[in-house]
Amino acid sequence: FNIVTYTGKPRFFRKELVECTPSNIEDAMRFCEHIEAGGQSSMIHAIASALRLPGLEALYIVTDGKCDLGEEFLGRAKSHYFACAGRPRINTIGINCPPQRLTYRGLKALAMMTQSTFRAVCLEQDPGEPVGQILGPGGSLDTVLHNATTDEEGGGEDRGEDDGEF
């Protein structure tokens, strides 16, 4: 495994892929403690650099979505990806990326292009966003949906039924 940050220019945890030993994992955790977000994101340069790592099988991109992932980005990512002999999977994780906005769609398209997985993770609701305005500070969509469902069923009681993944 390896870790690459991409604020400013790509910065690697190690020069090459390393084994998942307890020592390497501890060192990686210390490396992550010093990662600071902000500045100019250079995701495409990090992707290009990571794709040059010999033996790379999978790449996980984690972003807060404050970067432009439009058609130009996707075209460049596609060029780098198809130039890589191993063609690793590029899994993407968008933190607090509003659904169906440019970054959300770009991360999803990048994962689909490499037959990989896209995950959207919501850690907080911005009161300025439509969902945040509905929920208010500290609100949860699960709570709103649960309350609406139980209220419609009558009595507002929880019947313990699980409809599966939302």
Side-chain angles (χ1 to χ4, degrees), residues 78-87:
K78 187 176 186 176
S79 294
H80 290 295
Y81 177 74
F82 285 111
C84 178
R87 301 231 173 90

Side-chain angles (χ1 to χ4, degrees), residues 43-123:
M43 187 185 301
I44 194 66
H45 298 298
I47 291 170
S49 297
L51 288 173
R52 288 196 229 37
L53 288 169
L56 183 69
E57 295 175 7
L59 181 62
Y60 289 81
I61 297 172
V62 181
T63 182
D64 61 5
K66 294 180 174 64
C67 51
D68 186 14
L69 300 180
E71 292 300 319
E72 180 183 347
F73 169 84
L74 288 172
R76 292 176 68 192
K78 187 176 186 176
S79 294
H80 290 295
Y81 177 74
F82 285 111
C84 178
R87 301 231 173 90
R89 294 179 181 262
I90 301 178
N91 300 280
T92 56
I93 303 162
I95 300 173
N96 294 336
C97 295
Q100 302 310 319
R101 295 243 177 111
L102 185 65
T103 300
Y104 182 102
R105 291 190 319 262
L107 290 171
K108 189 173 182 177
L110 182 58
M112 286 177 60
M113 176 183 77
T114 66
Q115 299 177 357
S116 301
T117 304
F118 165 69
R119 295 280 185 250
V121 177
C122 184
L123 298 178

